[in-house]
Amino acid sequence: MDAPILASSLRDFWSRRWNSLIKRYLHHFVFTPVIRRLEPSTATRPSRLTGAIATLAAFVASGVLHEYVMLVVFRAPFWTDLQQLAYFSVQGVLCVAERAAQDVWASQTKSWTSPGATRIRRAAEGVVGRAFLFVGLVGPGLLFMKQYLDCGKGVRAKMVPQGQSF
């Protein structure tokens, strides 16, 4: 982790600040292969649509990994409510929406060249980025935490007893 409290946006939180090991894993095994599959001839940056699809795929894969953790650690059947998958899918949608909002904002303000206007533009970008961060983490946070809290109530009964294997 790299100071998640300093994240300037939801995309910054997930791409740079939170669990960089999993981020690199998902980037290597999900994000990049999806881009290569959709745009095999692109040597530079993929299109916005391809990037959005790859982003959503990576977040869905993260949700599946978290459902697997629930299954293994808490013996909670992942097919019962899919809250982890829903949470990370919402995160993916919000990251794509944040990128789209940034693109629209940039196109609307590209003519703002005076120093004062530039400061206003950057301040507004910071407010919007932090708004996405707050809405993205706090809003759907119950989807993420509820399953852990529910499983935590009977965690001793549900975890694998010592000496036994799966």
Side-chain angles (χ1 to χ4, degrees):
M1 283 192 247
D2 183 20
I5 195 77
L6 299 177
S8 61
S9 68
L10 191 61
R11 290 177 59 234
D12 180 44
F13 179 82
W14 289 119
S15 67
R16 290 186 358 169
R17 307 258 181 207
W18 190 261
N19 205 341
S20 59
L21 177 68
I22 294 299
K23 183 263 180 191
R24 285 192 305 267
Y25 176 85
L26 291 171
H27 193 272
H28 182 75
F29 290 107
V30 180
F31 186 84
T32 302
V34 168
I35 286 176
R36 286 189 182 142
R37 172 70 90 173
L38 295 176
E39 292 185 17
S41 62
T42 303
T44 59
R45 298 194 103 172
S47 70
R48 293 279 191 246
L49 178 61
T50 301
I53 292 168
T55 297
L56 293 173
F59 274 101
V60 167
S62 181
V64 170
L65 287 172
H66 280 80
E67 290 292 346
Y68 181 73
V69 167
M70 294 304 297
L71 175 68
V72 170
V73 173
F74 295 112
R75 293 193 171 192
F78 67 91
W79 59 84
T80 57
D81 53 17
L82 300 173
Q83 290 174 343
Q84 301 297 305
L85 180 60
Y87 175 77
F88 285 99
S89 297
V90 167
Q91 295 302 304
V93 169
L94 288 172
C95 283
V96 168
E98 180 183 22
R99 178 62 185 258
Q102 287 173 339
D103 289 346
V104 168
W105 177 254
S107 71
Q108 295 296 317
T109 61
K110 66 182 172 189
S111 64
W112 295 12
T113 56
S114 70
T118 301
R119 281 193 291 272
I120 292 170
R121 185 181 75 230
R122 287 189 182 145
E125 288 169 358
V127 168
V128 170
R130 284 182 178 78
F132 269 98
L133 178 64
F134 181 77
V135 168
L137 295 181
V138 174
L142 185 59
L143 285 172
F144 182 76
M145 292 305 299
K146 184 179 181 310
Q147 202 171 16
Y148 287 100
L149 295 173
D150 290 347
C151 288
K153 292 175 187 171
V155 73
R156 288 199 164 111
K158 293 182 180 181
M159 291 192 70
V160 179
Q162 272 189 330
Q164 290 187 3
S165 63
F166 292 92

